[in-house]
Structure formats: structure tokens, C-alpha cells
RNA sequence: GGCGGGGUAGCUCAGUUGGUGAGAGCGCAGGAUUCAUAACCCUGAGGUCGCGGGUUCAAAUCCCGCCCCCGCUACCA
């Protein structure tokens, strides 16, 4: 079966994880779980990007060594991954020993290709932005402070630096975009990248001598790698590069990233790989941001929210569901307690939870065994036809990196099943035609089984419980078993509510200040 | 400034190459029902389809102008 290597961006642990980190992690987890259930050989990588000047400074401010500082922060990212049921195969840290080896091997390949050269870099540098600015991009404030375009202070910095011949790759990158238009998605992002590259690329400074919290440049004492070489290489490390066996996983099938880092993944990363003579990832998908009432979260706005607290408040699976369903993947979306509660009540409690409850309760009352299938009529055929169409629709959504569309399709079938029950009214048939009532309940239960299987990537724990209620053996829950219909007569455990309604009010605040 | 994407019911959005009375979900109102988590099912409420022109038998859908929002424009999820 085909293999599927999928990654999130690695997170910079200079602050606590927030809902944006959770969003990317959950979406990528959905992709990975879906592929596993679909029988593919999956590797799912996520982790943290721990080097750089900002970390070194934060550590010093905290009176810690950089290593001690990141150890403390990274623990919070790992805790978030645990709390959100992120099924990663590895949590990579750029401070891991094998990552240094991978980076240096990548560097050596780029050097061997003649794409690295030593020069001097001089310019106005913003520590906060980790960016150099051209003189005309800076302005001098009334108090004499020179600031960059983002308003952060800049200082004149001149240092020796290794440069990467990015300029050489203008043409190859444009060819890549032309040959493989789905390399960057959504398509609007590809257009932006093309426009960016068409303006021409300048060589890129890829080492620093001004600090040492980074991966040493091989054979060049005093130089550490510029953070993006270091960070991007994590995807190779996660595949086992430079060991020979890394061909099993590399190239990656998909990098899931935020729209703010599309350029690094769509321009620098393929250029590095081309230089190194390594195959390119198949696709890069830049998702949107989750805004709180239209605003990006920031500590100063006081709207930083701990995703772990939200998961605790609403339940891990419901919170995951909200993230996956409420936002068209690729676009920005908004969240609020009101929006979460409305979504969970409408979809999970009213539609899916109630469907499961009414069906299982009727079955329990009728003897607690899977009813006999019997002879279905037109209504049954119609219902099953809709359920039959679901796997293909979900696979299509998965291929398009659109979990929201997969959930749309699944919940349309949930709604159809509620309607089916209303029309067939098995509670009435029970008195007039018990066999017909059984047939109706069997069909409802069977559709619920398929829905539950397909919803596992979004809500692994709750769907496991639902499948338990249907007595579906644990080993019969991957997509290969979608066609193995429920067998009449199977004893079922007593059902219980899966998705209680949640109150839209929020008695306790789940926001919290972070470091 | 340049390039790109948008402005459609209270909210979030669908609306292929212009054409049966402008749609979905949520929210709201009424009804029906009682198997079920005050849930499910039915019905409805009417939005100048950003503004102004134009093309056409016919435009939300094409053209022109204008207003507003957003993204990218060399390094923050």
C-alpha cells in the first residue's frame, strides 16, 4: 500500500502553545489517522524548532541555559500533543543529535554542489524580527531610534556569513511551479510564490557568527546555521536522512504549514533540496489562521488561549471536531466559546449523538441485539446509496487536504439517517410490523457504523466508544471493513450518551496569561 | 504603488462555461411528533446578490468606473 509521510511545521517554543498550534496539529493528525485507517503506511512528524537568537536571549533573560530553557518550553508542546491525541510517530526536536547530523549532511551536499560561499553581510538587523532590512525600509523615530518596517528596533550589523546561491534557482523554481501546480496549495499561495520568484531571487545568508545557539557549520568554526536551514531540515531528519534507509520516507508527501511560512517551504526548501540533489516533497499546504473575534492572538491583546484548557472544557474530540469542521481548511476562521458551543450542540449533540442514542435505545428496548436486516425497500436503498458514496467523498477530501469537506459529507449522511428514521418511524412499526421495524433499525445502525468508522480520524476516542456500542471488534474498524455490514443477532452493550449538550455560557475563563 | 483574492439572507458561506420564481447550514418563529440528548421531522420568515453605468431577449454570474476588506511584495504558528 502506498506510503504517506506528512508533517506539521515545527513550532518555535518561545511561548506557550496556543490554538493556532493546536489547529495545525489536529488537522495534520486527521490526515495521518485517515491514511492509516485507509491502509497506507504512514509517518507523521511534528516537533519543535529550538535554535536561534531569540531562544538564546529568552533563556538568558530567564537565567537558564538555552538547553534548560527549551526543555521546559518543549514539555508544554509535548503536553499539548498528548492532550489533543496527536498521533505523531515522532516528536522531533532540532536539538536532537540525529538532527545535527542531518543538517550537516544537507549542508555538505549544498557545499559540494558549489552553492555555498563565504562573504560578508552588512545591514540593519532586527533581533525581534530576526531579519535584515534595507536602509530604505527603516525609519528613524523622534528619539533617534532606528526601526524596521515592523516598528522593531534595528541595529547595524556586519558579519561574515555563508551564503546560499538562491539566485541560481529562480528558473528551476518557476519550472517547478509550472510543472507541478499543486506543489503549493491553496492555489492562491502558489500565485504569490510565483510572483515573488519572478521578481528574481537574491542569495541567502545561511549562517551566523553573532551567537552560538545553533548547529555548527561543518568546517567553519564560529558559524552556526541560519535558523531556516536548520528548521527545514527537520523533515529530512524525520525521514532518517542521511542514512540509506531514508528513501523509505523521503520525499515527504505533504508539509502542512501556516500561511505565514509558505515562502520558506515553497521557495527556500525546494531550492535547498535541488542544490543537495534530493527529491522534493510532493506538496506544501498553507492553512489559514484561527482568529478570535477577528484578531490574531497575541499576548498583548490578552486573548491567548490555552488549547489544552479548551480541550478540557469541551472534550478533546469535540474540540478537535470544531477545529476541523468549522473552518474551510486553507482559509482563516474564527473561534469563540459561542461558536464552539453552537457547533457542538448542532452537529454532535443534536444530530450525531441523538441519532446514535435514539437508534441504540430502540434496539436496546427490542432485545439488545443487532436486528435482522430483512428486506429493505426504496428508502433503505436510498439511504445505503448515500452511505456507499461516502468513502470516495472522504478520500477526495483527504487528497485535497480538506477535512472540513469530509466532515460535511459525513454529516449530510447523519442528517439523512435522522430523516430516514422520521419517515420510517420504527417506533410505530414496532407495533404493526416488528420485522419492518427491525429492518429500519438495522439500516440506521449500519449507517451509524460506517459513519463512526469514517469519523475516527476526527474523533478517535468517542468513535471508539460508539463502535463499542455497536459491538464492532477493534480489529474491524479500518476502512477496509466499511463493507462488512453488521450481523443480525450480535449482542450489544447498553448504550450511553456520547455527546452531551454543552452550555453556551462560560462560567470560568479558559484564557490564561503565558510567559 | 504593483500582483492576487474577496464584498450574496442576523451569522458562516455555496452559487460550474450568463437563463425553470436567488440557495445551504446555524440562529429565529410557527407546526407536527414523542423512538431520542427541550433533540429529530415539516413550514416560514424575504437578502437593492458592495455602488454606478454598459452589453444582452436574459446577469449575482460578462465589460467599464468607483468604494471597502484581505493576502503577497526577501526571512514570526
Amino acid at each position: 500500500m502506498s506510503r504517506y509521510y506528512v508533517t506539521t511545521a515545527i513550532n518555535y517554543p518561545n511561548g506557550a502553545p496556543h490554538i493556532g498550534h493546536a489547529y495545525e496539529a489536529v488537522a495534520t493528525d486527521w490526515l495521518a489517522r485517515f491514511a492509516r485507517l485507509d491502509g497506507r503506511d504512514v509517518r507523521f512528524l511534528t516537533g519543535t524548532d529550538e535554535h536561534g537568537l531569540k531562544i538564546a536571549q529568552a533563556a538568558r533573560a530567564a537565567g537558564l541555559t538555552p538547553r534548560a530553557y527549551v526543555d521546559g518550553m518543549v514539555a508544554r508542546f509535548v503536553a499539548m500533543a498528548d492532550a489533543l491525541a496527536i498521533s505523531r510517530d515522532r516528536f522531533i526536536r532540532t536539538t536532537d543529535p540525529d538532527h545535527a547530523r542531518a543538517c550537516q549532511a544537507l549542508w555538505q551536499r549544498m557545499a559540494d554542489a558549489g552553492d555555498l560561499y563565504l562573504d560578508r553581510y552588512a545591514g540593519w538587523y532586527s533581533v525581534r524580527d530576526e531579519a535584515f532590512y534595507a536602509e530604505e525600509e527603516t525609519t528613524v523615530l523622534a528619539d533617534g531610534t532606528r526601526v524596521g518596517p515592523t516598528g522593531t528596533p534595528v541595529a547595524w550589523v556586519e558579519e561574515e556569513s555563508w551564503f546560499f546561491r538562491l539566485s541560481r534557482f529562480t528558473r528551476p523554481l518557476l519550472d517547478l511551479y509550472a510543472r507541478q501546480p499543486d506543489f503549493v496549495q491553496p492555489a492562491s499561495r502558489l500565485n504569490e510564490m510565483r510572483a515573488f520568484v519572478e521578481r528574481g531571487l537574491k542569495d541567502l545568508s545561511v549562517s551566523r557568527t553573532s551567537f552560538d545557539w545553533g548547529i555548527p557549520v561543518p568546517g567553519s568554526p564560529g558559524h552556526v546555521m541560519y535558523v531556516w536551514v536548520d528548521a527545514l531540515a527537520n523533515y529530512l531528519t524525520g525521514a532518517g536522512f542521511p542514512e540509506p534507509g531514508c528513501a523509505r520516507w523521503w520525499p515527504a508527501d505533504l508539509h502542512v504549514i501556516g500561511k505565514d511560512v509558505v515562502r520558506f517551504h515553497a521557495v527556500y526548501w525546494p531550492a535547498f533540496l535541488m542544490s543537495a540533489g534530493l527529491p522534493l516533497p510532493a506538496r506544501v499546504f498553507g492553512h489559514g489562521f484561527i482568529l478570535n473575534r477577528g484578531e490574531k492572538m497575541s499576548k498583548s491583546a490578552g486573548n491567548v488561549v490555552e488549547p489544552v484548557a479548551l480541550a478540557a472544557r469541551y472534550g478533546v474530540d469535540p474540540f478537535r471536531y470544531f477545529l476541523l469542521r468549522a473552518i474551510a481548511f486553507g482559509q482563516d476562521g474564527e473561534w469563540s466559546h459561542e461558536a464552539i458551543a453552537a457547533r457542538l450542540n448542532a452537529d454532535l449533540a443534536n444530530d450525531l449523538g441523538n441519532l446514535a442514542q435514539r437508534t441504540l435505545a430502540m434496539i436496546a428496548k427490542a432485545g439488545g441485539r443487532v436486528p435482522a436486516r430483512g428486506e429493505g425497500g426504496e428508502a433503505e436503498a436510498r439511504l445505503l446509496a448515500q452511505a456507499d458514496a461516502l468513502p470516495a467523498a472522504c478520500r477526495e477530501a483527504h487528497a485535497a487536504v480538506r477535512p472540513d469537506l469530509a466532515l460535511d459529507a459525513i454529516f449530510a449522511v447523519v442528517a439523512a439517517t435522522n430523516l430516514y428514521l422520521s419517515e420510517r418511524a420504527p417506533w410505530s412499526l414496532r407495533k404493526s410490523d416488528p420485522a419492518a421495524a427491525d429492518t429500519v433499525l438495522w439500516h440506521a445502525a449500519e449507517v451509524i457504523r460506517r459513519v463512526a468508522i469514517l469519523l475516527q480520524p476526527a474523533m478517535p476516542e468517542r468513535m471508539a466508544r460508539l463502535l463499542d456500542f455497536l459491538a464492532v471488534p477493534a480489529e474491524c474498524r479500518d476502512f477496509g471493513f466499511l463493507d462488512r455490514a453488521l450481523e443480525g443477532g450480535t449482542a450489544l452493550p447498553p448504550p450511553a450518551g456520547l455527546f452531551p449538550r454543552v452550555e453556551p455560557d462560560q462560567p470560568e475563563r479558559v484564557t490564561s496569561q503565558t510567559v
Side-chain angles (χ1 to χ4, degrees):
Chain A
M1 202 61 200
S2 66
R3 71 116 155 98
Y4 188 71
Y5 177 31
V6 63
T7 70
T8 69
I10 48 177
N11 300 308
Y12 204 62
N14 64 340
H18 58 240
I19 197 168
H21 296 112
Y23 179 52
E24 183 172 306
V26 167
T28 311
D29 185 62
W30 180 84
L31 293 166
R33 287 178 183 270
F34 188 102
R36 287 193 199 100
L37 287 167
D38 209 16
R40 300 175 70 174
D41 194 14
V42 173
R43 183 164 181 79
F44 170 20
L45 182 74
T46 188
T48 43
D49 172 19
E50 305 179 19
H51 290 127
L53 185 55
K54 272 194 288 194
I55 292 285
Q57 289 178 331
R60 192 177 319 131
L64 297 170
T65 63
R67 180 70 209 203
Y69 176 79
V70 293
D71 281 351
M73 295 303 300
V74 168
R76 305 176 69 165
F77 282 84
V78 173
M80 180 189 79
D82 287 339
L84 297 179
I86 305 304
S87 65
R88 72 279 184 187
D89 294 294
R90 174 173 175 183
F91 189 100
I92 190 170
R93 302 182 54 177
T94 54
T95 50
D96 288 338
D98 63 338
H99 178 65
R101 287 196 296 278
C103 277
Q104 290 174 333
L106 174 66
W107 182 283
Q108 195 57 54
R109 280 170 168 263
M110 296 193 293
D112 291 347
D115 288 324
L116 295 175
Y117 62 92
L118 199 55
D119 202 342
R120 298 188 69 75
Y121 199 112
W124 293 102
Y125 184 73
S126 162
V127 171
R128 192 106 52 89
D129 300 347
E130 279 190 14
F132 277 96
Y133 294 111
E135 176 116 5
E136 56 271 22
E137 289 181 286
T138 65
T139 50
V140 180
L141 300 180
D143 65 358
T145 313
R146 185 179 286 270
V147 298
T150 57
T152 58
V154 296
W156 183 259
V157 170
E158 209 173 319
E159 63 175 291
E160 189 182 65
S161 172
W162 285 95
F163 280 78
F164 172 70
R165 291 189 202 280
L166 183 62
S167 56
R168 251 193 66 198
F169 294 90
T170 303
R171 190 71 251 162
L173 286 168
L174 292 174
D175 290 344
L176 167 67
Y177 304 150
R179 187 173 65 243
Q180 207 181 315
D182 66 346
F183 179 68
V184 182
Q185 294 179 311
S188 57
R189 299 288 161 200
L190 177 71
N191 293 335
E192 291 175 358
M193 290 306 105
R194 185 186 289 116
F196 173 73
V197 174
E198 278 172 349
R199 273 189 287 269
L201 296 168
K202 291 200 305 190
D203 289 350
L204 192 68
S205 167
V206 289
S207 78
R208 291 287 183 275
T209 56
S210 52
F211 59 92
D212 63 1
W213 180 237
I215 295 185
V217 171
S220 189
H223 285 262
V224 295
M225 292 183 201
Y226 168 58
V227 64
W228 277 104
V229 177
D230 175 350
L232 289 163
N234 93 85
Y235 305 128
L236 283 173
T237 309
F241 180 82
E243 305 307 320
C246 74
R248 178 178 174 202
W249 296 113
W250 193 258
D253 293 86
L254 175 65
H255 293 316
V256 177
I257 59 171
K259 64 183 184 179
D260 54 335
V261 291
V262 168
R263 191 200 305 144
F264 309 109
H265 289 78
V267 179
Y268 301 166
W269 185 223
F272 292 165
L273 291 167
M274 285 189 257
S275 169
L278 294 168
L280 308 185
R283 271 197 298 173
V284 171
F285 194 104
H287 65 252
F289 290 140
I290 293 201
L291 309 173
N292 186 6
R293 300 179 202 291
E295 292 180 359
K296 191 169 170 175
M297 277 186 295
S298 73
K299 291 162 198 164
S300 55
N303 59 356
V304 175
V305 170
E306 295 276 359
V308 173
L310 287 172
R313 165 90 167 81
Y314 296 104
V316 176
D317 283 0
F319 179 54
R320 287 169 57 102
Y321 175 80
F322 173 80
L323 292 176
L324 294 170
R325 178 80 197 277
I327 298 130
F329 202 68
Q331 304 188 333
D332 287 349
E334 291 200 38
W335 80 271
S336 65
H337 290 289
E338 295 79 4
I340 293 175
R343 178 59 82 179
L344 300 189
N345 284 334
D347 296 354
L348 298 184
N350 296 353
D351 288 353
L352 176 58
N354 185 48
L355 171 65
Q357 184 68 11
R358 66 197 303 206
T359 303
L360 292 169
M362 282 187 272
I363 290 174
K365 242 182 265 183
R369 291 178 177 279
V370 173
R373 174 168 186 168
E375 292 279 317
E378 197 180 315
E380 284 69 31
R382 212 168 39 235
L383 181 67
L384 287 182
Q386 291 180 75
D388 285 343
L390 223 36
C394 289
R395 287 189 178 105
E396 191 180 336
H398 182 267
V401 195
R402 290 295 301 276
D404 54 303
L405 293 183
L407 295 173
D408 277 348
I410 294 168
F411 275 79
V413 171
V414 170
T417 311
N418 270 319
L419 179 56
Y420 165 76
L421 283 180
S422 292
E423 286 173 350
R424 301 287 286 139
W427 50 91
S428 300
L429 288 175
R430 179 60 60 200
K431 301 162 195 159
S432 58
D433 186 350
D438 280 350
T439 294
V440 172
L441 292 178
W442 181 88
H443 282 82
E446 168 61 12
V447 173
I448 291 169
R449 182 189 68 87
R450 299 193 204 177
V451 161
I453 285 176
L454 290 168
L455 282 176
Q456 290 177 102
M459 300 186 282
E461 191 271 334
R462 301 288 171 107
M463 292 305 101
R465 274 158 63 187
L466 181 50
L467 290 166
D468 285 345
F469 290 144
L470 291 168
V472 176
E475 67 277 12
C476 298
R477 297 178 179 184
D478 66 50
F479 297 169
F481 289 92
L482 280 166
D483 292 330
R484 179 180 290 191
L486 287 170
E487 284 187 32
T490 307
L492 300 182
L498 271 180
F499 295 107
R501 292 179 64 83
V502 300
E503 290 306 314
D505 56 16
Q506 63 265 21
E508 76 280 17
R509 289 183 64 77
V510 295
T511 55
S512 80
Q513 69 298 343
T514 58
V515 290

